[in-house]
Amino acid sequence: MALKIPIEVYKQQGYRVIFLTAGNSTWSDLGFFMKAQGADEIIDEVALLQDYPNSSKIHFHSHYGVGDEFMYQKALELLSSAKEPLLILALSVSNHPPYPKVPILFSKEQIPLEIFNKIPKNTSAILNTYVYANNEFGKFLSKIKQSELKDKILIAATGDHRVRGVAMDFNTEKALAYGVPFYLYVPKAYQGEIVYDKTRIGSHKDIFPTLYALTLSETRFLHLGGRNLLETQENDKFAFGFNTEVWIDNEGIYPRSSNLGSIKIIKVCLAQKKALLLMRSIWNSTRFIKNF
């Protein structure tokens, strides 16, 4: 069976795929990369500046991108007007240096001193854009939940890395300091027999297998060590997570350079020249899927 990447899986099921970013598609040849992956359309800051002239008021220097709110506005318009199943892969850039000039949205008194002291440089900019990014995503969710789309759309959101600039103690915090949230909005009609267990271990490799289970039926696909995080019966074989620094499984959390836990099995497979494919997320991403 030929290897199918996520975009191909959805396109074979009749979905139109759009890559939408508040940044510039020329950054790291991202637009070219997404086209090569099979995206039908690329929408970036150039198009957003044309469609929403006010977006120039929240614009990064050196053409890095526009504010998140305009990306979400475009996503809402695309989803509302869609006449066929639609998958939007969206990349926001505001919660990232260079930080946009947005109104001050917090006061120092609102932030625990412990957190404030962990950000020695660019403290206000980091915290303010963090609040801004979360607020704009929340506004988008509210609009979806108050619209006719609320029963037709699934939303998945995550980040590719932690908030940079936050200090950490590598001796006591390294294990979970690189963790990022994974948010899912799933209408009741698509929930089926799902089980949410906050103690389940996972990482980016599990996102698309989870989405496949929620949005596609009777679809065969290859996975890269990922599994449906909401399945009724946990698959212990794939109950692990990893990032650039650590590996986590039911036996513990340890550096990827170690020979403990299930990572030892992986290394043995590599030593025996067995194929192992690992996926690493390279972008902050939000995925909007509209079904009919």
Side-chain angles (χ1 to χ4, degrees):
M1 182 165 82
L3 176 64
K4 297 178 182 178
I5 60 176
I7 288 178
E8 290 178 325
V9 172
Y10 277 98
K11 291 187 70 171
Q12 288 187 359
Q13 292 296 310
Y15 281 77
R16 175 173 173 77
V17 179
I18 297 176
F19 175 63
L20 170 64
T21 177
N24 196 297
S25 62
T26 61
W27 177 77
S28 294
D29 287 330
L30 191 54
F32 176 80
F33 173 79
M34 294 305 298
K35 273 289 187 181
Q37 297 296 302
D40 297 300
E41 184 178 359
I42 308 294
I43 301 175
D44 69 352
E45 67 157 332
V46 176
L48 295 178
L49 283 166
Q50 293 176 346
D51 292 345
Y52 316 113
N54 287 339
S55 63
S56 62
K57 296 179 181 179
I58 305 180
H59 193 265
F60 301 82
H61 64 74
S62 302
H63 302 288
Y64 193 82
V66 298
D68 292 1
E69 60 204 82
F70 304 102
M71 181 191 76
Y72 290 127
Q73 185 174 344
K74 174 58 72 173
L76 188 60
E77 291 177 3
L78 291 170
L79 291 165
S80 299
S81 61
K83 303 300 182 183
E84 59 186 337
L86 175 65
L87 168 64
I88 299 177
L89 300 171
L91 167 64
S92 64
V93 294
S94 66
N95 189 25
H96 196 290
Y99 302 107
K101 294 181 179 180
V102 296
I104 301 300
L105 301 170
F106 78 100
S107 64
K108 185 176 180 179
E109 291 72 24
Q110 295 175 297
I111 309 298
L113 188 61
E114 179 184 2
I115 294 178
F116 207 89
N117 291 338
K118 281 181 171 289
I119 310 175
K121 298 180 180 179
N122 300 316
T123 308
S124 295
I126 289 174
L127 291 173
N128 200 53
T129 50
Y130 181 83
V131 174
Y132 168 77
N134 280 274
N135 281 357
E136 293 307 321
F137 180 56
K139 291 176 184 177
F140 171 74
L141 288 174
S142 294
K143 290 177 181 178
I144 290 293
K145 293 176 181 179
Q146 295 167 10
S147 73
E148 295 181 353
L149 293 170
K150 66 180 183 296
D151 297 321
K152 300 178 180 179
I153 184 174
L154 285 82
I155 300 173
T158 190
D160 71 323
H161 59 73
R162 70 191 188 100
V163 177
R164 290 170 175 163
V166 178
M168 68 168 137
D169 185 335
F170 278 86
N171 293 320
T172 61
E173 300 176 326
K174 186 176 182 179
L176 299 178
Y178 289 87
V180 294
F182 175 41
Y183 172 89
L184 273 173
Y185 169 75
V186 184
K188 289 185 178 180
Y190 294 96
Q191 290 181 11
E193 296 182 1
I194 64 173
V195 173
Y196 169 66
D197 181 354
K198 66 179 181 181
T199 65
R200 279 186 179 174
I201 296 168
S203 58
H204 283 104
K205 67 183 178 62
D206 303 302
I207 292 178
F208 268 104
T210 302
L211 293 179
Y212 295 151
L214 292 169
T215 61
L216 305 177
S217 60
E218 303 300 324
T219 299
R220 294 175 61 84
F221 59 89
L222 294 180
H223 64 85
L224 307 176
R227 87 286 195 200
N228 175 14
L229 289 171
L230 300 176
E231 59 191 348
T232 55
Q233 184 66 39
E234 172 67 302
N235 189 333
D236 293 332
K237 183 190 300 184
F238 303 119
F240 66 89
F242 67 93
N243 56 34
T244 57
E245 300 294 328
V246 296
W247 178 284
I248 180 172
D249 58 32
N250 291 323
E251 296 184 38
I253 305 173
Y254 24 80
R256 287 179 56 192
S257 59
S258 74
N259 286 316
L260 299 174
S262 58
I263 192 173
K264 181 178 180 180
I265 300 174
I266 299 297
K267 289 184 176 181
V268 169
C269 290
L270 284 173
Q272 295 175 350
K273 297 183 179 181
K274 291 183 179 179
L276 173 70
L277 297 175
L278 298 177
M279 178 174 68
R280 178 181 176 187
S281 174
I282 61 169
W283 59 75
N284 290 309
S285 58
T286 307
R287 298 169 174 89
F288 316 120
I289 303 172
K290 183 176 180 181
N291 293 320
F292 289 80

